[in-house]
């Protein structure tokens, strides 16, 4: 769910830690502590980080930039300042084997001056880091310095086309000029607020659905280093926001809006050149379906053709429609195409029941007794073919929740079965009973060693109802068809990200990392045991961060 254009408790007392405000405004030095108030059923502090070796930066509220009219849940409130870094006090114990940096990207600034953005996906990107070393935790965040963000700050207005936002035109000729720039890509945002990936050559790149929104960042300082300029001549303006990235390759889809279809491309580590594996032509509809993500198996790429299709007319509008850049075309049906990675040959193209998904979870090859591949199984977070989830993510809706009405549209783990015997139809079923996870489902991660292979566990955001947004962390057991849920009242957790323990032999041997936004305006980093799904550590942030989207793991070198 992301941006598209044209796309504790113990007897010990801790001394206050002096924290330095690093904001550019004239904020005073402050003193503050990270002592958590005793709570019923709370944690006992079994480890406290050693004394700080660097100042902790915390904002003063004197010149807070947040629009106070939108002071609701911190998850939907703009980040308080452009950058922050400091060491956190840990309640519980961080495993000593956890050495590296978790990076989480997402929209974090939803206003410019007095103007408030419409949609969750419009926000300017805020990159967060949790750096783990020897049981200690350094946290920080920083705005990604895209051209769109810098131009908005300089001109005090939106200057590029975001998910639902467009520049405000002074006259008709300015609008005409913007339309011309739209077709060249010049007016499209490079606001890389969707995901962050580590390439096989070590570069860390933040992404969105515009190709120009591929920005290289420093995973330690979070500094924006520049744009990833693709050196090929493939052209196009948009790509899948979620490429498949391993140490060996970078795979993505390039939708063709003119001659409806998709190019499947690969980029090798150490290069900026994407090479075409093959092309899939759309089976139906006026335009390709939205391809926010896609799955792969060991030998195949699965290309989804969803009836939620790109719409050129909506792309040109100055005001958004309920489906924004898309149109729902149920009459065009839905399809899944399977392409061989090695040859680019399409080995299956099947019609499937109508579906709506932002995120595929994983896929694998089903074999018979003789080892022959008979079908592809592909799992996704499926919204019961209901497009209303898009408009439900308007900030007005998220901020106005009263805690009583059950407003979140139903979702499930949708399991596609794609036969490879020439059959024209595939199946779409629930991989487990949706009530196991509260009929809410999105933002999944798996053990990366299971990418493209048969797997058992996934970690996601589910629902404890009534709610208007996923509000639990959920461990899915797709073999036993059961789920285990973590929930705290009023908390909004971000994507649960699984990090495997080095040398582990069990699929769920590791930790799950999430950043939690609390209703009272606070927030914390949370670690759960990947196997038991019990809390093992948390670390309070100096202030709550807004909701974020997707992350990656950068191991310590």
């Amino acid at each position: 769910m992301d941006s598209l254009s044209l796309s504790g408790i113990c007897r010990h007392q801790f001394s206050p830690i002096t924290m330095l405000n690093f904001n550019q405004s004239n904020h005073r030095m402050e003193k503050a502590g990270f002592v958590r108030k005793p709570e019923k059923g709370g944690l006992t502090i079994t480890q406290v980080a050693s004394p700080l070796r660097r100042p902790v930066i915390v904002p003063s509220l004197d010149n807070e930039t947040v629009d106070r009219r939108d002071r609701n849940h911190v998850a939907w409130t703009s980040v308080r300042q452009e950058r922050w870094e400091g060491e956190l006090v840990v309640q519980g114990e961080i495993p000593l084997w956890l050495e590296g940096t978790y990076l989480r990207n997402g929209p974090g600034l939803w206003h410019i001056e007095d103007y408030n953005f419409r949609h969750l996906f419009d926000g300017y990107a805020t990159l967060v880091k949790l750096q783990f070393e020897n049981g200690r935790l350094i946290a920080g965040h920083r705005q990604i310095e895209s051209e769109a963000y810098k131009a908005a700050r300089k001109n005090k207005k939106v200057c590029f086309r975001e998910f639902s936002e467009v520049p405000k035109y002074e006259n008709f000729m300015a609008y005409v000029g913007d339309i011309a720039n739209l077709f060249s890509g010049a007016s499209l945002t490079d606001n890389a607020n969707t995901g962050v990936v580590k390439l096989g050559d070590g570069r860390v790149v933040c992404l969105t659905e515009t190709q120009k929104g591929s920005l290289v960042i420093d995973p330690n300082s979070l500094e924006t280093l520049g744009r990833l300029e693709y050196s090929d001549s493939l052209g196009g303006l948009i790509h899948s926001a979620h490429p498949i990235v391993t140490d060996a390759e970078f795979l993505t889809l390039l939708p063709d809006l003119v001659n409806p279809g998709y190019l499947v491309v690969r980029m090798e580590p150490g290069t900026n050149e994407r090479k075409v594996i093959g092309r899939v032509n759309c089976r139906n509809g006026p335009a390709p379906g939205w391809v926010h993500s896609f799955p792969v198996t060991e030998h195949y790429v699965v290309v989804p053709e969803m009836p939620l299709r790109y719409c050129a007319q909506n792309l040109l509008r100055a005001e958004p429609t309920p489906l924004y850049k898309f149109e729902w075309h149920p009459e065009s049906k839905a399809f899944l195409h399977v392409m061989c990675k090695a040859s680019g040959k399409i080995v299956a193209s099947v019609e499937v029941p109508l579906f709506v998904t932002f995120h595929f979870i994983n896929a694998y090859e089903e074999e018979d007794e003789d080892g022959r591949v008979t079908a592809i199984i592909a799992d996704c977070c499926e919204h019961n073919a209901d497009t209303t989830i898009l408009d439900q993510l308007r900030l007005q809706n998220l901020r106005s929740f009263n805690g009583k009405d059950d407003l979140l549209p139903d979702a499930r783990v949708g399991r596609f079965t794609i036969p490879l015997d020439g059959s024209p139809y595939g199946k779409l079923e629930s991989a487990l009973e949706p009530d196991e996870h509260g009929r809410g489902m999105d933002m999944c991660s798996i053990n990366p060693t299971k990418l493209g292979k048969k797997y058992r566990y996934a970690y996601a955001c589910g629902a404890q109802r009534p709610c208007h947004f996923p509000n639990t962390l959920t461990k899915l057991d797709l073999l036993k068809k059961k789920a285990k849920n973590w929930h705290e009242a009023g908390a909004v957790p971000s994507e649960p990200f699984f990090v495997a323990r080095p040398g582990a032999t069990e699929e769920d041997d590791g930790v799950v990392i999430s950043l939690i936004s609390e209703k009272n305006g606070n927030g914390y980093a949370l670690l759960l045991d990947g196997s038991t799904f019990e809390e093992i550590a948390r670390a309070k942030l100096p202030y709550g961060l807004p909701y974020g989207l997707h992350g990656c793991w950068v191991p310590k070198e």
Side-chain angles (χ1 to χ4, degrees), residues 217-511:
I217 61 101
D218 184 314
N220 297 310
S221 68
L222 306 185
E223 178 185 0
T224 305
L225 301 179
R227 184 174 297 170
L228 176 62
E229 299 284 359
Y230 298 106
S231 60
D232 51 71
S233 58
L234 295 179
L237 304 177
I238 56 179
H239 59 183
S240 172
H242 295 287
I244 302 296
V245 182
T246 68
D247 287 341
E249 63 185 3
F250 172 106
L251 297 171
T252 195
L253 303 183
L254 308 182
D256 185 341
L257 303 182
V258 177
N259 183 20
Y262 315 88
L263 285 181
V264 182
V265 301
R266 175 192 289 119
M267 186 172 72
E268 296 182 355
T271 75
N272 291 9
E273 183 181 4
R274 300 162 301 178
K275 296 181 179 180
V276 176
I277 297 175
R279 177 186 166 92
V280 174
N281 293 319
C282 288
R283 287 267 300 271
N284 215 333
W290 187 20
V291 285
H292 185 72
S293 69
F294 64 99
V296 300
T297 70
E298 291 188 87
H299 302 101
Y300 302 102
V301 177
V302 180
V303 179
E305 185 180 341
M306 191 163 55
L308 183 62
R309 298 179 181 272
Y310 295 100
C311 175
Q313 184 178 1
N314 287 350
L315 291 171
L316 300 176
R317 291 181 184 270
E319 295 294 327
T321 71
L323 291 182
Y324 301 92
K325 314 301 183 186
F326 315 106
E327 275 190 338
W328 181 242
H329 287 277
E331 76 286 350
S332 72
K333 302 180 181 180
F335 306 91
L336 291 178
H337 313 277
V338 180
M339 177 181 290
C340 175
K341 287 183 185 178
S343 68
K345 179 182 177 181
I346 298 172
V347 300
S349 181
V350 300
E351 182 183 340
V352 293
L354 302 182
F355 68 98
V356 170
T357 185
F358 295 107
H359 301 114
F360 278 87
I361 305 169
N362 197 22
Y364 60 90
E365 299 161 15
E366 195 89 284
E367 298 180 347
D368 63 15
E369 295 178 352
D370 297 322
R372 291 174 296 191
V373 179
T374 60
I376 303 296
I377 306 299
D379 294 342
C380 70
C381 304
E382 204 278 307
H383 295 276
N384 293 326
D386 183 353
T387 63
T388 60
I389 185 64
L390 265 177
D391 208 42
Q392 181 62 34
L393 297 177
R394 285 187 296 126
L395 290 167
Q396 179 182 353
N397 292 336
L398 297 174
R399 290 168 174 163
S400 62
F401 180 60
N402 59 21
K404 300 178 182 179
D405 297 328
D406 197 9
L407 303 175
L408 180 67
D410 285 0
R412 61 178 173 167
V413 180
R415 170 159 289 185
F416 292 101
T417 301
I418 310 169
L420 299 186
D421 61 359
S423 300
Y425 299 104
K427 295 191 299 184
L428 172 58
E429 304 167 307
S430 295
L432 75 169
E433 171 56 49
D435 282 336
E436 283 286 321
H437 49 77
R439 306 185 319 280
M441 179 51 47
D442 220 319
M443 314 303 283
C444 279
S445 72
I446 63 170
N447 186 320
T449 64
K450 293 295 183 177
L451 176 67
K453 302 176 182 178
K454 196 164 189 176
Y455 71 119
R456 176 175 179 177
Y457 301 110
Y459 302 90
C461 289
Q464 180 162 308
R465 295 177 180 267
C467 62
H468 70 315
F469 193 82
N471 59 359
T472 73
L473 297 173
T474 299
K475 179 182 179 180
L476 303 167
D477 186 330
L478 298 171
L479 177 62
K480 292 186 175 181
K481 300 186 182 300
K482 293 291 183 180
K484 187 171 184 179
N485 300 291
W486 175 97
H487 174 76
E488 279 194 356
V492 176
S494 66
E495 175 187 63
F497 190 87
F498 180 83
V499 180
R501 182 180 63 84
T505 57
E506 297 297 324
E507 182 180 341
D508 59 350
D509 186 356
V511 299

Side-chain angles (χ1 to χ4, degrees), residues 195-221:
V196 54
V197 297
K198 175 186 170 292
L199 303 184
D201 53 29
R203 288 180 293 177
V204 177
V205 182
C206 292
L207 297 162
T208 188
E209 291 187 345
T210 65
Q211 293 190 37
K212 66 188 290 188
S214 303
L215 303 182
V216 182
I217 61 101
D218 184 314
N220 297 310
S221 68

